[in-house]
Coordinates of all heavy atoms in Angstrom, one line a residue:
M17 N 0.8 -1.2 0.0 CA 0.0 0.0 0.0 C 0.9 1.2 0.0 O 1.8 1.4 0.8 CB -0.9 0.0 1.2 CG -1.8 1.2 1.4 SD -3.3 1.1 0.5 CE -4.1 -0.3 1.0
V18 N 0.6 2.2 -0.9 CA 1.4 3.4 -1.0 C 0.5 4.5 -0.4 O -0.7 4.6 -0.8 CB 1.7 3.7 -2.5 CG1 2.4 5.1 -2.6 CG2 2.5 2.6 -3.1
V19 N 1.1 5.3 0.4 CA 0.4 6.5 1.0 C 1.1 7.7 0.6 O 2.3 7.9 0.9 CB 0.3 6.3 2.6 CG1 -0.4 7.5 3.2 CG2 -0.3 5.0 3.0
V20 N 0.3 8.6 0.0 CA 0.9 9.9 -0.4 C 0.1 11.0 0.2 O -1.2 11.0 0.2 CB 0.8 10.1 -2.0 CG1 1.4 11.4 -2.4 CG2 1.4 8.9 -2.7
T21 N 0.8 12.0 0.8 CA 0.1 13.1 1.5 C 0.7 14.4 1.0 O 1.9 14.6 0.7 CB 0.4 13.0 3.0 OG1 -0.1 11.8 3.5 CG2 -0.3 14.1 3.8
L22 N -0.2 15.4 0.8 CA 0.1 16.7 0.3 C -0.5 17.8 1.3 O -1.6 17.7 1.6 CB -0.5 17.0 -1.1 CG -0.5 18.4 -1.6 CD1 0.9 18.8 -2.0 CD2 -1.4 18.5 -2.8
Q23 N 0.4 18.7 1.7 CA 0.0 19.8 2.6 C -0.3 21.0 1.6 O 0.6 21.8 1.4 CB 1.0 20.1 3.6 CG 0.5 21.0 4.7 CD 1.5 21.2 5.8 OE1 2.6 20.6 5.8 NE2 1.1 22.0 6.8
R24 N -1.4 21.0 1.0 CA -1.7 21.9 -0.1 C -1.6 23.4 0.2 O -1.2 24.2 -0.6 CB -3.1 21.6 -0.6 CG -3.4 22.3 -1.9 CD -4.7 21.8 -2.5 NE -4.9 22.4 -3.8 CZ -5.3 23.6 -4.0 NH1 -5.7 24.4 -3.0 NH2 -5.4 24.1 -5.3
N25 N -2.0 23.8 1.4 CA -2.0 25.3 1.7 C -0.6 25.9 1.6 O -0.4 27.1 1.5 CB -2.6 25.6 3.1 CG -1.9 25.0 4.2 OD1 -1.2 23.9 4.1 ND2 -2.0 25.5 5.4
K26 N 0.5 25.1 1.7 CA 1.9 25.6 1.6 C 2.5 25.4 0.2 O 3.6 25.8 0.0 CB 2.8 24.8 2.6 CG 2.4 25.1 4.1 CD 3.3 24.4 5.0 CE 3.0 24.8 6.5 NZ 3.9 24.2 7.4
C27 N 1.7 25.0 -0.7 CA 2.1 24.8 -2.1 C 2.5 26.1 -2.7 O 1.7 27.1 -2.6 CB 1.1 24.1 -2.9 SG 1.5 23.8 -4.7
I28 N 3.6 26.2 -3.5 CA 4.0 27.4 -4.1 C 3.8 27.3 -5.6 O 4.1 28.3 -6.4 CB 5.5 27.8 -3.8 CG1 6.4 26.7 -4.3 CG2 5.7 28.1 -2.4 CD1 7.9 27.1 -4.3
G29 N 3.2 26.2 -6.1 CA 2.9 26.1 -7.5 C 4.0 25.9 -8.5 O 3.9 26.3 -9.6
C30 N 5.1 25.3 -8.1 CA 6.2 25.1 -8.9 C 6.0 24.1 -10.0 O 6.8 24.1 -11.0 CB 7.5 24.7 -8.1 SG 7.4 23.0 -7.5
N31 N 5.0 23.2 -9.9 CA 4.6 22.2 -10.9 C 5.5 21.0 -11.0 O 5.3 20.1 -11.9 CB 4.5 22.9 -12.3 CG 3.6 22.2 -13.2 OD1 2.5 21.7 -12.9 ND2 4.1 22.0 -14.5
Y32 N 6.5 20.8 -10.2 CA 7.4 19.7 -10.3 C 6.6 18.4 -10.0 O 6.9 17.4 -10.7 CB 8.6 19.7 -9.2 CG 9.6 20.8 -9.5 CD1 10.3 21.4 -8.5 CD2 10.0 21.1 -10.9 CE1 11.2 22.4 -8.8 CE2 10.9 22.0 -11.1 CZ 11.6 22.7 -10.1 OH 12.5 23.6 -10.4
C33 N 5.7 18.4 -9.1 CA 5.0 17.1 -8.8 C 4.1 16.7 -10.0 O 4.1 15.5 -10.3 CB 4.1 17.3 -7.5 SG 2.9 18.7 -7.6
V34 N 3.6 17.6 -10.7 CA 2.8 17.3 -11.8 C 3.6 16.8 -13.0 O 3.3 15.8 -13.6 CB 2.0 18.6 -12.3 CG1 1.2 18.3 -13.6 CG2 1.0 19.1 -11.2
E35 N 4.8 17.3 -13.1 CA 5.7 16.9 -14.2 C 6.2 15.4 -13.9 O 6.4 14.6 -14.8 CB 6.9 17.8 -14.3 CG 6.6 19.1 -14.9 CD 7.7 20.1 -14.9 OE1 8.9 19.6 -14.8 OE2 7.5 21.3 -15.1
L36 N 6.5 15.1 -12.6 CA 7.0 13.8 -12.2 C 6.0 12.8 -12.0 O 6.2 11.6 -12.2 CB 7.9 14.0 -11.0 CG 9.1 14.9 -11.2 CD1 9.8 15.2 -9.9 CD2 10.1 14.1 -12.1
A37 N 4.8 13.1 -11.5 CA 3.7 12.2 -11.2 C 2.4 12.7 -11.7 O 1.5 13.0 -10.9 CB 3.7 11.9 -9.7
P38 N 2.2 12.8 -13.0 CA 1.0 13.4 -13.6 C -0.3 12.6 -13.3 O -1.4 13.2 -13.4 CB 1.3 13.5 -15.1 CG 2.3 12.5 -15.3 CD 3.1 12.4 -14.1
E39 N -0.1 11.3 -13.0 CA -1.3 10.5 -12.8 C -1.9 10.8 -11.3 O -3.0 10.4 -11.0 CB -1.0 9.1 -13.0 CG -0.8 8.8 -14.5 CD -0.5 7.3 -14.7 OE1 -0.6 6.5 -13.8 OE2 -0.2 7.0 -15.9
Q40 N -1.0 11.4 -10.5 CA -1.4 11.6 -9.1 C -1.7 13.1 -8.8 O -2.4 13.4 -7.9 CB -0.4 11.1 -8.1 CG -0.5 9.6 -7.9 CD -0.1 8.8 -9.1 OE1 1.0 9.0 -9.7 NE2 -0.9 7.9 -9.5
F41 N -1.0 14.0 -9.5 CA -1.1 15.4 -9.3 C -1.5 16.2 -10.5 O -1.2 15.8 -11.6 CB 0.3 15.9 -8.8 CG 0.8 15.4 -7.6 CD1 1.6 14.3 -7.6 CD2 0.5 15.9 -6.3 CE1 2.1 13.7 -6.4 CE2 1.0 15.4 -5.2 CZ 1.8 14.3 -5.2
Q42 N -2.2 17.3 -10.2 CA -2.5 18.3 -11.3 C -2.5 19.7 -10.7 O -2.6 19.8 -9.5 CB -3.8 18.0 -12.1 CG -5.0 18.3 -11.3 CD -6.3 17.9 -12.1 OE1 -6.2 17.0 -13.0 NE2 -7.4 18.6 -11.9
M43 N -2.4 20.7 -11.5 CA -2.4 22.1 -11.0 C -3.8 22.6 -11.0 O -4.5 22.4 -12.0 CB -1.5 23.0 -11.8 CG 0.0 22.6 -11.7 SD 0.7 22.4 -10.1 CE 0.8 24.1 -9.6
S44 N -4.2 23.3 -10.0 CA -5.5 23.9 -10.0 C -5.5 25.2 -10.8 O -4.7 26.0 -10.7 CB -5.9 24.3 -8.5 OG -7.0 25.1 -8.5
K45 N -6.6 25.3 -11.7 CA -6.7 26.5 -12.5 C -7.2 27.7 -11.7 O -7.0 28.8 -12.0 CB -7.6 26.2 -13.7 CG -7.0 25.3 -14.7 CD -7.9 25.0 -15.8 CE -7.2 24.1 -16.8 NZ -8.0 23.3 -17.6
K46 N -7.8 27.4 -10.5 CA -8.3 28.5 -9.6 C -7.2 29.2 -8.9 O -7.2 30.4 -8.9 CB -9.3 27.9 -8.6 CG -10.6 27.6 -9.1 CD -11.5 27.2 -7.9 CE -12.9 26.9 -8.3 NZ -13.7 26.5 -7.2
D47 N -6.3 28.5 -8.3 CA -5.3 29.1 -7.4 C -3.8 28.8 -7.8 O -2.9 29.3 -7.2 CB -5.5 28.9 -6.0 CG -5.4 27.4 -5.6 OD1 -5.0 26.6 -6.4 OD2 -5.8 27.0 -4.4
G48 N -3.6 27.9 -8.8 CA -2.3 27.6 -9.2 C -1.5 26.7 -8.3 O -0.3 26.6 -8.4
K49 N -2.2 26.0 -7.4 CA -1.5 25.1 -6.5 C -1.8 23.7 -6.9 O -2.8 23.4 -7.6 CB -2.1 25.3 -5.1 CG -1.7 26.7 -4.5 CD -2.1 26.8 -3.0 CE -1.7 28.1 -2.4 NZ -1.9 28.1 -1.0
S50 N -1.0 22.8 -6.4 CA -1.1 21.4 -6.7 C -2.3 20.7 -6.1 O -2.7 21.1 -5.0 CB 0.2 20.6 -6.2 OG 0.1 19.3 -6.5
V51 N -2.9 19.8 -6.8 CA -4.0 19.0 -6.3 C -3.6 17.5 -6.4 O -3.2 17.1 -7.4 CB -5.3 19.2 -7.2 CG1 -6.4 18.3 -6.7 CG2 -5.7 20.7 -7.1
L52 N -3.8 16.8 -5.2 CA -3.6 15.4 -5.2 C -4.9 14.7 -5.6 O -5.9 14.8 -4.9 CB -3.1 15.0 -3.8 CG -2.8 13.5 -3.6 CD1 -1.7 13.0 -4.5 CD2 -2.4 13.3 -2.1
L53 N -4.9 14.1 -6.7 CA -6.1 13.5 -7.3 C -6.7 12.4 -6.4 O -5.9 11.6 -5.9 CB -5.8 13.0 -8.7 CG -5.3 14.1 -9.7 CD1 -5.0 13.4 -11.0 CD2 -6.4 15.2 -9.9
H54 N -8.0 12.4 -6.3 CA -8.7 11.4 -5.5 C -8.4 11.3 -4.0 O -8.5 10.3 -3.4 CB -8.6 10.0 -6.2 CG -8.8 10.0 -7.6 ND1 -10.0 10.3 -8.2 CD2 -7.9 9.8 -8.6 CE1 -9.9 10.2 -9.5 NE2 -8.6 9.9 -9.8
A55 N -7.9 12.5 -3.5 CA -7.5 12.5 -2.1 C -8.6 12.9 -1.2 O -9.6 13.5 -1.6 CB -6.3 13.5 -1.9
T56 N -8.4 12.4 0.1 CA -9.3 12.9 1.1 C -8.6 13.9 2.0 O -7.4 13.8 2.2 CB -9.8 11.7 2.0 OG1 -8.6 11.0 2.5 CG2 -10.6 10.7 1.2
E57 N -9.3 14.9 2.5 CA -8.7 16.0 3.2 C -9.0 15.9 4.7 O -10.2 15.5 5.1 CB -9.3 17.3 2.7 CG -8.5 18.5 3.2 CD -9.2 19.2 4.4 OE1 -10.4 18.9 4.7 OE2 -8.5 19.9 5.2
K58 N -8.0 16.1 5.5 CA -8.2 16.1 7.0 C -7.2 17.1 7.5 O -6.0 16.9 7.4 CB -7.9 14.7 7.6 CG -8.3 14.6 9.0 CD -8.2 13.2 9.5 CE -8.5 13.2 11.0 NZ -8.4 11.8 11.6
K59 N -7.8 18.2 8.1 CA -7.0 19.2 8.7 C -5.9 19.8 7.8 O -4.7 20.0 8.2 CB -6.4 18.7 10.1 CG -7.4 18.4 11.1 CD -6.8 18.0 12.4 CE -7.9 17.6 13.4 NZ -7.4 17.3 14.7
G60 N -6.2 20.0 6.6 CA -5.3 20.6 5.6 C -4.3 19.7 4.9 O -3.5 20.1 4.1
F61 N -4.4 18.4 5.3 CA -3.6 17.4 4.6 C -4.5 16.5 3.7 O -5.5 16.0 4.1 CB -2.9 16.5 5.7 CG -1.9 17.2 6.5 CD1 -2.2 17.9 7.6 CD2 -0.5 17.1 6.1 CE1 -1.2 18.5 8.3 CE2 0.4 17.7 6.8 CZ 0.1 18.5 7.9
F62 N -4.0 16.4 2.5 CA -4.7 15.6 1.5 C -4.0 14.3 1.3 O -2.8 14.3 1.0 CB -4.8 16.4 0.1 CG -5.7 17.6 0.3 CD1 -5.2 18.8 0.8 CD2 -7.0 17.6 -0.2 CE1 -6.0 19.9 1.0 CE2 -7.8 18.7 -0.1 CZ -7.3 19.9 0.5
T63 N -4.7 13.2 1.4 CA -4.0 11.9 1.4 C -4.7 10.9 0.5 O -6.0 10.9 0.4 CB -4.1 11.3 2.8 OG1 -3.4 12.2 3.7 CG2 -3.3 10.0 2.9
I64 N -3.9 10.1 -0.2 CA -4.4 9.0 -1.0 C -3.7 7.7 -0.5 O -2.6 7.8 -0.1 CB -4.2 9.1 -2.5 CG1 -2.8 9.2 -2.9 CG2 -5.1 10.2 -3.1 CD1 -2.5 9.0 -4.4
K65 N -4.5 6.6 -0.5 CA -3.9 5.3 -0.1 C -4.2 4.4 -1.4 O -5.3 4.3 -1.7 CB -4.5 4.7 1.1 CG -4.2 5.5 2.4 CD -4.9 4.9 3.6 CE -4.5 5.7 4.8 NZ -5.2 5.2 6.0
S66 N -3.1 3.9 -2.0 CA -3.3 3.1 -3.2 C -2.6 1.8 -3.0 O -1.5 1.7 -2.6 CB -2.7 3.9 -4.4 OG -2.7 3.1 -5.5
S67 N -3.3 0.8 -3.5 CA -2.7 -0.6 -3.5 C -1.9 -0.8 -4.8 O -1.2 -1.8 -5.0 CB -3.8 -1.6 -3.5 OG -4.7 -1.5 -4.5
D68 N -1.9 0.3 -5.7 CA -1.1 0.2 -6.9 C 0.3 0.7 -6.6 O 0.6 1.8 -6.6 CB -1.8 1.1 -8.0 CG -1.0 1.1 -9.3 OD1 -0.1 0.3 -9.4 OD2 -1.4 1.9 -10.2
N69 N 1.2 -0.3 -6.4 CA 2.6 0.0 -6.1 C 3.4 0.6 -7.2 O 4.5 1.1 -7.0 CB 3.3 -1.2 -5.6 CG 2.8 -1.7 -4.2 OD1 2.1 -1.0 -3.5 ND2 3.1 -2.9 -3.9
T70 N 2.8 0.6 -8.4 CA 3.5 1.2 -9.6 C 3.6 2.7 -9.5 O 4.4 3.3 -10.2 CB 2.9 0.8 -10.9 OG1 1.6 1.4 -11.0 CG2 2.8 -0.7 -11.1
I71 N 2.8 3.4 -8.6 CA 2.9 4.8 -8.5 C 4.0 5.2 -7.5 O 4.3 6.4 -7.4 CB 1.6 5.4 -8.0 CG1 1.3 5.0 -6.5 CG2 0.4 5.0 -8.9 CD1 0.1 5.8 -5.9
L72 N 4.6 4.3 -6.8 CA 5.6 4.6 -5.8 C 6.8 5.4 -6.3 O 7.1 6.5 -5.8 CB 6.1 3.3 -5.1 CG 7.2 3.5 -4.0 CD1 6.6 4.3 -2.9 CD2 7.7 2.2 -3.5
D73 N 7.4 5.0 -7.4 CA 8.6 5.7 -7.9 C 8.3 7.1 -8.3 O 9.0 8.1 -7.9 CB 9.2 5.0 -9.1 CG 9.9 3.7 -8.7 OD1 10.3 3.6 -7.5 OD2 10.1 2.8 -9.6
A74 N 7.2 7.3 -9.0 CA 6.9 8.7 -9.5 C 6.6 9.6 -8.3 O 7.0 10.8 -8.2 CB 5.7 8.7 -10.4
C75 N 5.8 9.1 -7.3 CA 5.5 9.9 -6.1 C 6.7 10.2 -5.3 O 6.8 11.2 -4.7 CB 4.4 9.2 -5.3 SG 2.8 9.2 -6.2
E76 N 7.6 9.2 -5.2 CA 8.9 9.5 -4.4 C 9.7 10.5 -5.1 O 10.3 11.4 -4.4 CB 9.7 8.2 -4.3 CG 9.2 7.3 -3.2 CD 10.0 6.0 -3.0 OE1 10.7 5.6 -4.0 OE2 9.9 5.4 -1.9
Q77 N 9.7 10.5 -6.4 CA 10.4 11.6 -7.2 C 9.8 12.9 -6.9 O 10.5 13.9 -6.7 CB 10.5 11.3 -8.7 CG 11.4 10.1 -9.0 CD 11.3 9.8 -10.5 OE1 10.8 10.6 -11.3 NE2 12.0 8.7 -10.9
A78 N 8.5 13.0 -6.9 CA 7.8 14.2 -6.6 C 8.1 14.7 -5.2 O 8.3 15.9 -5.0 CB 6.3 14.1 -6.8
T79 N 8.1 13.8 -4.3 CA 8.5 14.1 -2.9 C 9.8 14.8 -2.8 O 10.0 15.8 -2.2 CB 8.4 12.9 -2.0 OG1 7.1 12.4 -2.0 CG2 8.8 13.2 -0.6
K80 N 10.8 14.2 -3.5 CA 12.2 14.7 -3.4 C 12.3 16.0 -4.1 O 13.1 16.9 -3.7 CB 13.2 13.7 -4.0 CG 13.3 12.4 -3.2 CD 14.2 11.4 -3.9 CE 14.2 10.1 -3.1 NZ 14.8 9.0 -3.8
A81 N 11.6 16.2 -5.2 CA 11.7 17.4 -6.0 C 11.0 18.6 -5.4 O 11.3 19.8 -5.7 CB 11.1 17.2 -7.4
C82 N 10.0 18.4 -4.5 CA 9.2 19.5 -4.0 C 10.1 20.5 -3.2 O 10.7 20.1 -2.2 CB 8.1 19.0 -3.1 SG 7.1 20.3 -2.4
P83 N 10.2 21.7 -3.6 CA 11.1 22.7 -2.9 C 10.7 23.1 -1.5 O 11.5 23.5 -0.7 CB 11.2 23.9 -3.9 CG 10.0 23.8 -4.7 CD 9.6 22.4 -4.8
V84 N 9.4 23.0 -1.3 CA 8.9 23.3 0.1 C 8.6 22.1 1.0 O 8.1 22.3 2.1 CB 7.7 24.3 0.0 CG1 8.1 25.6 -0.5 CG2 6.6 23.7 -1.0
K85 N 8.9 20.9 0.5 CA 8.8 19.7 1.2 C 7.5 19.4 1.9 O 7.3 19.2 3.1 CB 9.9 19.6 2.3 CG 11.3 19.8 1.8 CD 11.7 18.8 0.8 CE 13.1 19.0 0.3 NZ 13.3 18.3 -1.0
I86 N 6.4 19.5 1.0 CA 5.0 19.4 1.5 C 4.4 18.1 1.1 O 3.2 17.8 1.3 CB 4.1 20.6 1.1 CG1 4.1 20.7 -0.4 CG2 4.6 21.8 1.8 CD1 3.1 21.7 -0.9
I87 N 5.2 17.2 0.4 CA 4.7 15.9 -0.1 C 5.4 14.8 0.6 O 6.6 14.9 0.8 CB 4.9 15.8 -1.6 CG1 4.2 16.9 -2.4 CG2 4.4 14.4 -2.1 CD1 4.6 16.9 -3.9
T88 N 4.7 13.8 1.1 CA 5.3 12.7 1.7 C 4.8 11.4 1.0 O 3.6 11.4 0.6 CB 5.0 12.5 3.2 OG1 3.6 12.4 3.4 CG2 5.6 13.7 4.0
T89 N 5.7 10.5 0.8 CA 5.3 9.2 0.2 C 5.9 8.1 1.0 O 7.1 8.1 1.4 CB 5.9 9.1 -1.2 OG1 5.4 10.2 -2.0 CG2 5.5 7.8 -1.9
K90 N 5.1 7.1 1.3 CA 5.6 5.9 2.1 C 4.8 4.7 1.8 O 3.7 4.7 1.3 CB 5.5 6.2 3.6 CG 4.1 6.4 4.2 CD 4.2 6.7 5.6 CE 2.8 7.0 6.1 NZ 2.8 7.4 7.5
M91 N 5.5 3.6 2.0 CA 4.9 2.2 1.9 C 4.4 1.8 3.2 O 5.2 1.9 4.2 CB 5.9 1.2 1.3 CG 6.2 1.4 -0.2 SD 5.0 0.8 -1.3 CE 5.0 -1.0 -0.9
I92 N 3.2 1.2 3.3 CA 2.8 0.6 4.6 C 2.4 -0.8 4.4 O 2.1 -1.2 3.3 CB 1.7 1.4 5.3 CG1 0.5 1.5 4.3 CG2 2.2 2.8 5.7 CD1 -0.8 2.1 5.0

């Protein structure tokens, strides 16, 4: 199981996550911030849990590339 979390309110809209993991992230046309697709929100944190382990590499790359370090990716 792959768990990806985005702290969206701190996003600066650099677009790295979308470039590296376009199946999980997209940019909002409203505010220019990243959106974690199909995520549930709890206290400002948007999270997806996926049994598709093929998303792990792309999400880890997005985590490492994020300049404000607001994305976490882990296996559980």
Side-chain angles (χ1 to χ4, degrees):
M17 178 82 58
V18 179
V19 180
V20 183
T21 302
L22 170 70
Q23 192 175 0
R24 190 173 187 278
N25 64 333
K26 294 185 178 183
C27 178
I28 61 171
C30 72
N31 203 44
Y32 289 147
C33 57
V34 176
E35 290 176 15
L36 294 168
E39 293 181 7
Q40 281 67 52
F41 296 93
Q42 73 181 28
M43 297 307 287
S44 168
K45 291 183 177 152
K46 281 186 177 180
D47 61 9
K49 293 184 177 188
S50 179
V51 175
L52 182 58
L53 301 174
H54 311 295
T56 55
E57 189 265 341
K58 187 174 181 182
K59 297 184 179 181
F61 290 86
F62 292 79
T63 304
I64 59 169
K65 293 180 181 177
S66 176
S67 58
D68 180 6
N69 292 344
T70 63
I71 70 168
L72 180 63
D73 287 339
C75 290
E76 283 181 336
Q77 288 179 9
T79 298
K80 291 175 186 171
C82 180
V84 288
K85 305 299 181 203
I86 58 169
I87 303 169
T88 59
T89 303
K90 63 183 176 181
M91 288 283 294
I92 59 168

